[in-house]
Amino acid sequence: DSVPIKRALLSVSDKTGLVELGKALAAKNVELLSTGGTAKALRAAGLTVQDVADYTGFPEMLGGRVKTLHPKVHGGIMYVRGNAEHEASVKEAGIKGIDLVVLNLYAFEATVAKGSDFETCVENVDIGGPSMLRSSAKNHRYVTIATAPSQYAELISALNKDGCTPYSLRKKFAAAAFAHSARYDATIASWFAGQLANEPDAAPALLTRSCELSRPLKYGNNPHQKPAALYRPLGSTEPFRVRNGAPGYINMLDAFNAFQLVRELRKALDLPAAASFKHVSPAGAGLGVALNASECKAYDIADPASLTPLATAYVRARQADPLCSFGDFAALSDVVDENTALVLKKEVSDGIIAPGFEPKALEILSAKKGGKFVCVEVDPDYTPPTLEYREVYGVGFAQKRNDREITLDDVKTDEVKKGPMPPDAQRDLVLAAITAKYTQSNSICFARGGQVVGVGAGQQSRVDCVKLAGKKVATWWLRQSEDVLALPFVAGLKRQQKVNARVQYLEGGFDSYAPQEKAAFDKLFASGTCPPELTSSRRAELLGQLTGVSLASDAFFPFPDNMDVAAKFGVKYVVQAGGSVQDEAVLACARGHGMAMAMNGIRLFHH
Amino acid sequence: DSVPIKRALLSVSDKTGLVELGKALAAKNVELLSTGGTAKALRAAGLTVQDVADYTGFPEMLGGRVKTLHPKVHGGIMYVRGNAEHEASVKEAGIKGIDLVVLNLYAFEATVAKGSDFETCVENVDIGGPSMLRSSAKNHRYVTIATAPSQYAELISALNKDGCTPYSLRKKFAAAAFAHSARYDATIASWFAGQLANEPDAAPALLTRSCELSRPLKYGNNPHQKPAALYRPLGSTEPFRVRNGAPGYINMLDAFNAFQLVRELRKALDLPAAASFKHVSPAGAGLGVALNASECKAYDIADPASLTPLATAYVRARQADPLCSFGDFAALSDVVDENTALVLKKEVSDGIIAPGFEPKALEILSAKKGGKFVCVEVDPDYTPPTLEYREVYGVGFAQKRNDREITLDDVKTDEVKKGPMPPDAQRDLVLAAITAKYTQSNSICFARGGQVVGVGAGQQSRVDCVKLAGKKVATWWLRQSEDVLALPFVAGLKRQQKVNARVQYLEGGFDSYAPQEKAAFDKLFASGTCPPELTSSRRAELLGQLTGVSLASDAFFPFPDNMDVAAKFGVKYVVQAGGSVQDEAVLACARGHGMAMAMNGIRLFHH
C-alpha cells in the first residue's frame, strides 16, 4: 500500500509552503520536475529542478498552452506500476514514473471578480493543470496528488517517515483533487453559460453548486431524516461559527432567518434589535427602546434601568407572545453583553445567534441547558450570493434572494391623507414590515412602542392572519391590565406558570372546560377557584384603551374587512404593498377608522 | 467570425448520428482523425479515417490511457489561428490544425449504477476526453466542439452552407461543452467523496449540483425577486409537463407539495385523493368517499350521484375551508376526468397538478381564467433523489427527504386501551397524518368521513394549532346545521358570497362591528338585518353533536391540555409521535375524554 516517491512534478498557483515542501522532497532525494513560476521559486531556494520541456523533449510553445499535455508526462503519471506490459512500454518510450504531483489551479472566479473581459477570462481557463490533476487522481493507487498547501504537512510527515505515502492518504487526497477539479469546472461552466444570456434579469442556463461539508447535523427536519448537514461553497469559509452546543437543522433554519431580521432592523432603525423564533417564524421581535411602567409590571421586570438596550430588545421580543417563545431561538443584532446573557439565562430557550459574545456573556450562556445551549456567532458583514436555490420533490427552484431592504423611506407617505406619515409611527411600521418579511406567509405583524405585539403567520386567508395576530395583540394588551395583574395566585408559582395562567385566564371559555381541566386551573388560585372571566364589556373597555398600533401586511389587502378587524386592536398606522383592485375601498375603510396607510409596492411573501 | 472546417477529430461514446455526421464532413472534404470504436464505426461506413496514433507518431500504449494527450493533438486544437508566432511553431512541430472536435463522455453515473466495483469505476474516469473537450471549448474562437448528437443537425446545416461554422454556434457549443465537463467531474467528485465515508448515514463530504434551466419563471416569491426559474439535473428530463398556463414560483411550490400529499394518500388508502393548497400548506384534502346528505346541503351539491370519486375528493378538499381555498392550487391523485374538471370550472382557482388529463378535461380547464389556468401533468412514478438541498442566507442545508410513508400500519394500535384502533378510524387518521406531513409546522389536522375538516398550520405553540384547527372544524360542522343553512339571504347572491356570509355569521362578534361593517353585512339578508348570533348554548349544543373526529399532530403533545381542546371538537381518535415526558398524562387525559390514541414514533415537521 505504501508507494515510495522518487519523482515529483510541481506546478502551483498558490506558492504557500512550496519551498518547504521542495526542500523536504530534496532531502529524500526526490527528483523535481516543474514549469514556469514554480520552477523559478524552487530554484531561487537553491533546489535542483528539471524543466518539463527538457524532460519531454518537446519545446515550450504556443505561450505555454501545451507544455504538460504530453505522453511523457501523462504516461509517467498513469502507467500501472508493476504491470509488465506497462513497464515495458514506458521504458521503451523513455517515460519516467511521476509519483507525486503537486498542483493547484488559480481560482477562476478571482479572474472574473477582477472585472476581466471575456477574452482574458477564457485565456485563464487552465487546460494542462486539470488534466494532470485528473490523471494523478485516477491513478491514486500509485500516485499522490496534492492540491492545497494545507495538505503539505501531512505529506511531509509521511515522507519523513519512510519516503512513502500510504494508500489512505493517496485516496483522501485524490478525493480532494477531484473536488478541486469539479469546483473549477463548475465555476467556468456557470460563468460561460452566463455569457450567453441576453437579458440582465435572465436566469442562468446552467446552475452549479459545488459544496463541501461544513457541519454534519444529527438529523434533518425529523429524526428519521438522516443524513443531514450544512454545506459551504468549496474552498470558502462559512460566515458563522458555533461557539457552544450542537445546533440542529431547524435551529439553524431559525438562526439564519432570525439573524437576517435583526440585522435589517439594526441597519434600518439604528437601534439594537432582537428576535425570538420558533418553527422558522418570529414569535416576536423588539428594539432597544426603554420599557414603560405597565410593560415592566406585565413582563415582571423589577429594575428596567438595569437593562442594557440590547437586553431590553430581547425582553420585548420575548414578551410579544411568551407562550410561543417558550424554547425559542434568539437573534441579537449586536455583540451580546453580560446583561443580555443574564436575561436569557432565566428563560427556557434553545439557542442564540449574534455577531459576537462578550467573554462573560458566552460563559453564562454556555452553562445554560446543562451546557447544551447553542451559541452561534455570525459575521455581520457577510453578504450571501444573489441567487438562492432549493429542491422540492427533486425539482430545482432558483430565485434572486429577497435582498430588497425595508427602510424608513418605505413608510414616509400616508395615502389616506396624501401627506407625511407621522414620524413616531414610522419606526414601528418598519419594525412590523421587516418582521413580516421573515415570517412564513401569509403574514400580518402588529407593533407598538418599538415592540412586535402580535404575529399572524402561515395562514391562507389574509383576514385570518389579521384575526390571529389581533388575538395575540389583545392578550398582550390585557396582560398589562390591573384585572390580570391582580389575579390572586397561590404562593410559589414560577414566573412562567404565572404567565401561562394569565394567558389562560384571558382566553376564557371556562364553561366549556372538562371537569378535570377546570379543577387543574382552579388550583392555581389562592381562593381555590378561578375568578370570573372578564366580561365582554370589560374586555371591550380595556381594548378600547389601546391605540397607536402599527400593522404591516406581507401583501396587499384583498378586501376592506381587514381594516375593520385591525381597528378592533387599536391600529392607527398601516403599511402594505397596495396593488389590489380594492385599494380605494381599503383606503376608504382605513379613513373611516382614522388610520394612516403607506402603500409601498413591496410584496414580502416568504416561503 | 466564420471558420472553415478542414480537419476534425471524432471520439464519441454515444454513436447516435455519427455516421451521418462523418459522411457530411467527408462530403466537404474534411479530413477525419479518430480513435478506437469511433474510427471503426466510421470506417465501416466506408469513410477514410486517420488514427490519432498515426498522426502523433506516438504509439498507442498503456491500454489507450494517453493516446490523445499529445502536443500534436492539443497544439492542433489550441493554437491561435493567424498568430504569426503560433503558426510558425505548429508548422515547425508538424502540428496540423484541428478545427472540429466531436466528443462525448460515457456517463460516469451509468458505470456506478451498474454496480461496478471501485476499481472499475476509477478505470472508467476518462482523462483524454475531458482534456480535448476543454482545449476545444477554450479555443472556441477558432474551434468547434460538439458534445451531443442533438447538436449535429445544426452543425451539418452550417457546414452545408459554406463549410464553416459561425462564431455564435461555436460559443454556444463551447458553453455546452464546459457544462458537459462540469457535470462529468461533479459526478465523479461526488461519487469519489462518497467512497471515503465510513458510516452509512453520513452526509457526503462533497455535495454537487449541476443543473440546466428547465423553465424560467416570471419572478420568485415576490415580483422584485428576478430572475427565478426551475432547474433539472443536467441531461435529465423533468418529471412534469406544463399543459396550460404559465405557473409562478409559489404555484410550483404548491404543486409539488400538494402532489406528494395526494400521491401518498392514494398509495396508502387505495382511494382517489385531492388536496387544495394555498401558500404551501393544504387548506383541505379529501378522499373519493361519497358525500352524505348534510354535506351535500352545506356544499351546495344538488346531485352527488353525478360526481365521480375523483370529483368528490376535490369537493371534500375544497370544502374543508372554502374561504382559504379561494384561489387555490389543486392536486389530484388520478387522471382528471371531465366531471372533476367541471367541478373545478365553477371554483376560483389558480391551477392544478395531476398525473394526466382526459382530453375533454384539459379542454375545459384550459379555458378557465381566460385561458390562464395552470395545468401541470406529473409523472406519478417519479422518485426524487434521496438527498434534498436548499440555501438560506447563503448557507447550504442538506437532508434526506422525508420519504417515510405513512400507512394504515402506523395507526393500528390504540395506546389508551392497548388494543386495536377501530378500523373505521384508521382511514381518517392516515388522511390527517399525511396532510399534516405536508403542512408547514407546527401543524394539527382534523379529519372525518374521508375529509380533512380543519388544518392548523404554521403556529409556534402546539395548543395554538389545535385551537386554530378546532375553530375551522367548528365552522365546518356548524355550516351543516339548519340554523345556518336556513339563513334568509337576499335573492341573487352568488354561491361563494353565501359561503362567505355563512362563515361570517358563524364568527359572530357583531356587537364589535363598526357601523359601516354591520351595515354591509345586514344588506346580505332579505329582512335587511342579520339574524341574531348563535347563542353560546346553541353553539355548544350543535358542537356536542359532533363526534368521531380524527386528529393527527406533526409531533408529540407537550401537555395534556391539547386533548381538552381537541375534545371540544368531537375528537375520538388521535395519532401522534409520542415521546414526550408527558405521554402518560396525555394518555390519561385522552382516556378521560373517551379517545383512542396511536403513538407511532414518526415526527412530521415540515419546513
Side-chain angles (χ1 to χ4, degrees), chain B residues 184-418:
Chain B
Y184 186 71
D185 257 23
T187 310
I188 292 167
S190 195
W191 169 81
F192 205 105
Q195 300 301 307
L196 296 181
N198 301 314
E199 295 167 54
D201 264 354
L206 189 77
L207 182 145
T208 59
R209 293 291 188 264
S210 200
C211 308
E212 56 193 321
L213 185 61
S214 158
R215 192 178 177 88
L217 302 169
K218 203 169 161 194
Y219 51 77
N221 270 327
N222 297 293
H224 60 273
Q225 293 180 254
K226 295 178 203 174
L230 300 182
Y231 286 83
R232 61 171 175 260
L234 254 174
S236 70
T237 47
E238 50 277 273
F240 68 91
R241 197 153 63 107
V242 176
R243 299 292 302 271
N244 194 64
Y249 188 91
I250 296 176
N251 283 155
M252 290 313 247
L253 284 180
D254 277 340
F256 295 122
N257 277 291
F259 183 69
Q260 289 181 81
L261 195 168
V262 298
R263 180 177 183 251
E264 197 169 332
L265 280 180
R266 183 66 163 120
K267 193 167 163 195
L269 300 173
D270 200 21
L271 283 167
S276 171
F277 262 59
K278 275 274 286 282
H279 278 288
V280 207
S281 279
L287 301 169
V289 172
L291 299 164
N292 65 30
S294 74
E295 287 167 342
C296 286
K297 271 195 219 161
Y299 304 165
D300 211 359
I301 304 287
D303 182 12
S306 74
L307 295 176
T308 60
L310 192 65
T312 307
Y314 182 68
V315 168
R316 289 195 174 281
R318 179 93 188 187
Q319 291 291 341
D321 185 342
L323 268 61
C324 281
S325 279
F326 193 80
D328 68 345
F329 205 98
L332 279 303
S333 65
D334 293 26
V335 171
V336 179
D337 55 37
E338 184 177 353
N339 184 251
T340 305
L342 287 169
V343 167
L344 254 154
K345 187 184 172 183
K346 289 186 298 185
E347 305 288 359
V348 174
S349 177
D350 245 29
I352 184 172
I353 185 167
F357 301 89
E358 287 182 4
K360 268 277 187 190
L362 189 60
E363 195 184 313
I364 292 163
L365 294 173
S366 297
K368 252 181 95 71
K369 278 187 80 180
K372 290 181 177 173
F373 188 73
V374 171
C375 299
V376 179
E377 189 171 308
V378 61
D379 174 4
D381 299 321
Y382 166 72
T383 304
T386 302
L387 207 65
E388 66 187 7
Y389 173 75
R390 69 186 295 190
E391 290 157 0
V392 176
Y393 195 53
V395 177
F397 285 72
Q399 64 172 351
K400 187 187 187 197
R401 56 185 290 271
N402 191 356
D403 59 1
R404 169 63 164 88
E405 292 182 353
I406 312 293
T407 69
L408 289 167
D409 285 340
D410 293 314
V411 297
K412 285 250 177 291
T413 308
D414 166 21
E415 298 296 334
V416 173
K417 293 195 180 156
K418 306 283 176 194

Side-chain angles (χ1 to χ4, degrees), chain B residues 32-306:
Chain B
L32 306 182
L33 279 169
S34 190
T35 61
T38 308
K40 206 168 149 185
L42 291 168
R43 287 190 184 116
L47 295 164
T48 305
V49 180
Q50 183 179 26
D51 276 318
V52 167
D54 180 47
Y55 162 60
T56 61
F58 206 88
E60 177 145 343
M61 61 186 286
L62 307 182
R65 286 183 167 207
V66 297
K67 52 195 174 187
T68 60
L69 289 160
H70 196 283
K72 289 184 81 171
V73 171
H74 282 275
I77 292 169
M78 278 202 285
Y79 80 91
V80 176
R81 275 65 169 170
N83 174 308
E85 194 190 319
H86 284 205
E87 295 276 4
S89 298
V90 298
K91 201 169 171 191
E92 194 187 323
I95 293 173
K96 296 182 189 174
I98 297 171
D99 311 307
L100 167 67
V101 174
V102 181
L103 191 149
N104 57 58
L105 308 168
Y106 180 68
F108 186 78
E109 59 267 44
T111 306
V112 175
K114 272 183 206 158
S116 311
D117 62 16
F118 178 74
E119 304 301 329
T120 308
C121 289
V122 169
E123 196 52 47
N124 261 274
V125 172
D126 191 347
I127 306 296
S131 294
M132 278 196 290
L133 186 159
R134 298 177 75 259
S135 282
S136 312
K138 172 167 178 163
N139 210 23
H140 69 276
R141 177 153 298 281
Y142 310 105
V143 177
T144 306
I145 168 72
T147 44
S150 60
Q151 298 169 323
Y152 297 169
E154 189 176 350
L155 175 60
I156 291 172
S157 139
L159 284 169
N160 284 345
K161 229 171 103 195
D162 57 0
C164 296
T165 54
Y167 178 67
S168 60
L169 177 149
R170 293 197 303 280
K171 188 174 181 186
K172 189 171 66 176
F173 280 23
F178 278 125
H180 190 56
S181 163
R183 181 185 178 230
Y184 186 71
D185 257 23
T187 310
I188 292 167
S190 195
W191 169 81
F192 205 105
Q195 300 301 307
L196 296 181
N198 301 314
E199 295 167 54
D201 264 354
L206 189 77
L207 182 145
T208 59
R209 293 291 188 264
S210 200
C211 308
E212 56 193 321
L213 185 61
S214 158
R215 192 178 177 88
L217 302 169
K218 203 169 161 194
Y219 51 77
N221 270 327
N222 297 293
H224 60 273
Q225 293 180 254
K226 295 178 203 174
L230 300 182
Y231 286 83
R232 61 171 175 260
L234 254 174
S236 70
T237 47
E238 50 277 273
F240 68 91
R241 197 153 63 107
V242 176
R243 299 292 302 271
N244 194 64
Y249 188 91
I250 296 176
N251 283 155
M252 290 313 247
L253 284 180
D254 277 340
F256 295 122
N257 277 291
F259 183 69
Q260 289 181 81
L261 195 168
V262 298
R263 180 177 183 251
E264 197 169 332
L265 280 180
R266 183 66 163 120
K267 193 167 163 195
L269 300 173
D270 200 21
L271 283 167
S276 171
F277 262 59
K278 275 274 286 282
H279 278 288
V280 207
S281 279
L287 301 169
V289 172
L291 299 164
N292 65 30
S294 74
E295 287 167 342
C296 286
K297 271 195 219 161
Y299 304 165
D300 211 359
I301 304 287
D303 182 12
S306 74

Side-chain angles (χ1 to χ4, degrees), chain A residues 107-126 182-198 202-209, chain B residues 134 137-141 167 171 174-176 178-179 182 210-211:
Chain A
F108 185 78
E109 58 267 46
T111 307
V112 174
K114 273 184 209 158
S116 312
D117 63 16
F118 179 75
E119 305 300 332
T120 308
C121 289
V122 168
E123 194 54 42
N124 261 275
V125 172
D126 190 348
R183 179 184 178 228
Y184 187 72
D185 257 25
T187 309
I188 294 167
S190 196
W191 169 81
F192 205 107
Q195 301 300 309
L196 296 180
N198 301 315
L206 187 76
L207 181 145
T208 59
R209 292 291 186 266
Chain B
R134 298 177 75 259
K138 172 167 178 163
N139 210 23
H140 69 276
R141 177 153 298 281
Y167 178 67
K171 188 174 181 186
F178 278 125
S210 200
C211 308

Side-chain angles (χ1 to χ4, degrees), chain B residues 483-543:
Chain B
D483 310 52
V484 171
L485 289 171
L487 285 174
F489 293 118
V490 289
L493 280 196
K494 288 183 193 159
R495 197 169 51 98
Q496 186 76 33
Q497 285 178 302
K498 280 191 268 183
V499 171
N500 293 358
R502 284 171 178 154
V503 173
Q504 191 175 352
Y505 172 78
L506 282 170
E507 292 197 340
F510 307 149
D511 55 357
S512 72
Y513 271 30
Q516 77 271 27
E517 191 181 2
K518 184 65 165 65
F521 191 51
D522 283 342
K523 260 191 224 156
L524 302 173
F525 296 90
S527 58
T529 329
C530 166
E533 283 182 39
L534 279 189
T535 61
S536 67
S537 63
R538 176 61 181 154
R539 219 181 155 82
E541 183 188 350
L542 289 169
L543 263 183

